[in-house]
Amino acid sequence: MQIIKTKFKDLKIIKLKKNSDKRGYLKETFRKNKIQSKNLPFSYYVNSKKNVIRGFHFQYKFQQVKYITVLKGKILDCVVDLRKNSKTFGKVYTITLSEKNSLSLYIPEGFAHAYMTLEKENIVLYNLSNYYRPSFESGIIWNDNDLNINWPIKKPFLSLKDKSLPTFRTFLNKFKYL
């Protein structure tokens, strides 16, 4: 397992160790002594079809560290830095994560998170530092003009909740930062 730093403080790419032979492969997906994170006591996986966008989501109270791994398929993963006094506040970081490239993304507290699925079937594993609490969840609309993200699709599949998320400017007016 190799840790790769990004230009965003504490946002890390993790290159997973993969052992392959004629039977298939084994991947080490998490190692607490390498990640050096808070405990990640909560996890779930999401199965999505192609051209689905989920997010941008965040919890403004009981914030979550997120550790994202693609078990099957490929996603365009995006985060927005919402941390007070961060040099990269309001900036977007994108990365392609896939079963094949064996990359995971460690997202510290204070980021909004979204991704778009790029293959027919996509299974994404989340490890989280805090339990999901919908009453403290908010988000930012996926196609916000101020964020200027170059998504590879114009009409993705979205949940009703994600279609009605507020803009980045609304986030600034309501929260200012996380």
Side-chain angles (χ1 to χ4, degrees):
M1 183 174 282
Q2 177 188 2
I3 309 298
I4 304 163
K5 293 183 179 183
T6 68
K7 293 179 181 180
F8 289 61
K9 186 177 187 277
D10 297 326
L11 180 69
K12 302 170 191 166
I13 301 165
I14 291 83
K15 175 71 174 161
L16 304 177
K17 184 178 181 184
K18 181 176 174 181
N19 296 308
S20 300
D21 65 22
K22 61 185 175 185
R23 299 169 294 163
Y25 63 84
L26 172 131
K27 278 187 197 177
E28 184 178 86
T29 58
F30 180 77
R31 193 179 257 263
K32 185 177 177 181
N33 66 336
K34 286 275 196 177
I35 304 299
Q36 298 175 348
S37 171
K38 299 177 180 181
N39 288 331
L40 299 171
F42 178 59
S43 66
Y44 58 89
Y45 76 87
V46 180
N47 186 318
S48 299
K49 297 175 182 177
K50 188 174 184 173
N51 297 328
V52 169
I53 291 182
R54 295 180 182 269
F56 283 95
H57 301 141
F58 61 85
Q59 288 188 183
Y60 52 88
K61 193 172 181 184
F62 306 106
Q63 291 183 33
Q64 298 169 309
V65 170
K66 295 179 179 179
Y67 181 68
I68 309 298
T69 303
V70 174
L71 302 178
K72 183 176 184 179
K74 181 170 153 181
I75 65 172
L76 175 63
D77 203 300
C78 301
V79 295
V80 181
D81 189 347
L82 303 176
R83 301 172 293 176
K84 181 180 181 181
N85 299 325
S86 172
K87 291 178 183 177
T88 52
F89 178 82
K91 303 286 186 218
V92 176
Y93 182 86
T94 62
I95 185 171
T96 300
L97 306 176
S98 72
E99 175 185 12
K100 290 180 183 176
N101 71 14
S102 297
L103 298 178
S104 293
L105 188 63
Y106 175 89
I107 307 165
E109 291 178 355
F111 281 80
H113 176 246
Y115 64 86
M116 179 184 166
T117 57
L118 301 171
E119 293 193 355
K120 185 177 177 181
E121 184 180 20
N122 304 273
I123 300 174
V124 179
L125 175 66
Y126 287 71
N127 289 290
L128 302 141
S129 64
N130 234 323
Y131 296 100
Y132 174 61
R133 303 205 179 157
S135 57
F136 299 108
E137 181 185 41
S138 189
I140 298 169
I141 191 76
W142 68 280
N143 60 350
D144 185 277
N145 290 332
D146 291 329
L147 298 179
N148 196 29
I149 299 167
N150 188 18
W151 296 102
I153 190 169
K154 299 298 177 207
K155 293 185 180 181
F157 295 109
L158 298 159
S159 70
L160 290 176
K161 176 178 83 171
D162 288 353
K163 285 180 183 179
S164 62
L165 289 172
T167 65
F168 182 64
R169 288 179 194 220
T170 302
F171 164 82
L172 292 173
N173 291 333
K174 184 174 181 179
F175 298 102
K176 293 185 176 61
Y177 51 80
L178 291 183

